[in-house]
Amino acid sequence: VQLQASGGGFVQAGGSLRLSCAASGRLFSSHVIGWFRQAPGKEREFAAAIRWNTNRLTYYADSVKGRFTISRDSAENAVYLQMNSLKPEDSAVYYCALGSSATTRPQEYRNWGRGTLVTVSS
């Protein structure tokens, strides 16, 4: 399975963006898709995750909870990250990756695709 993130861009603080993670290949109910982000000079950090078989099992970092929403569309074979009320500190390259459990540790994920850059101006 290959994953490719897209949808990044430049937005002012308070604005919104919707990121997409397109999967090529079959995803199984046991799979977890995670969104991570990495700002310059910082470690990659967890943002959100969803179990592939349902929109009901979602997980968020405290820093994005209430502002970001992760969802998946099985027909499109894609996972989305709706980001609202964006802050300058949300600026980073965002990646999606494949996991087997809903962990926040990037080491537990694989099949990293190229990221998409999000820049939030103050």
Side-chain angles (χ1 to χ4, degrees):
V1 177
Q2 290 186 324
L3 302 177
Q4 181 60 58
S6 63
F10 183 92
V11 64
Q12 290 188 330
S16 299
L17 280 174
R18 186 192 192 212
L19 304 184
S20 299
C21 176
S24 60
R26 184 176 177 182
L27 291 170
F28 295 91
S29 60
S30 59
H31 282 142
V32 171
I33 306 298
W35 280 101
F36 289 78
R37 62 188 186 182
Q38 188 166 19
K42 295 189 176 181
E43 293 186 352
R44 191 166 297 187
E45 66 173 10
F46 172 80
I50 187 167
R51 187 162 291 281
W52 179 247
N53 65 340
T54 175
N55 275 320
R56 293 192 295 268
L57 292 178
T58 57
Y59 312 87
Y60 297 96
D62 288 342
S63 58
V64 308
K65 199 172 294 183
R67 299 187 298 121
F68 290 12
T69 302
I70 189 171
S71 63
R72 101 290 187 243
D73 186 329
S74 57
E76 296 292 328
N77 221 36
V79 171
Y80 304 100
L81 187 67
Q82 178 66 44
M83 307 187 296
N84 298 328
S85 302
L86 282 163
K87 305 175 181 180
E89 51 263 43
D90 294 318
S91 297
V93 177
Y94 284 70
Y95 300 88
C96 56
L98 186 68
S100 301
S101 62
T103 173
T104 62
R105 292 164 47 89
Q107 301 91 320
E108 302 296 327
Y109 288 80
R110 59 192 185 280
N111 299 54
W112 295 85
R114 282 189 302 177
T116 186
L117 177 63
V118 172
T119 304
V120 184
S121 67
S122 58

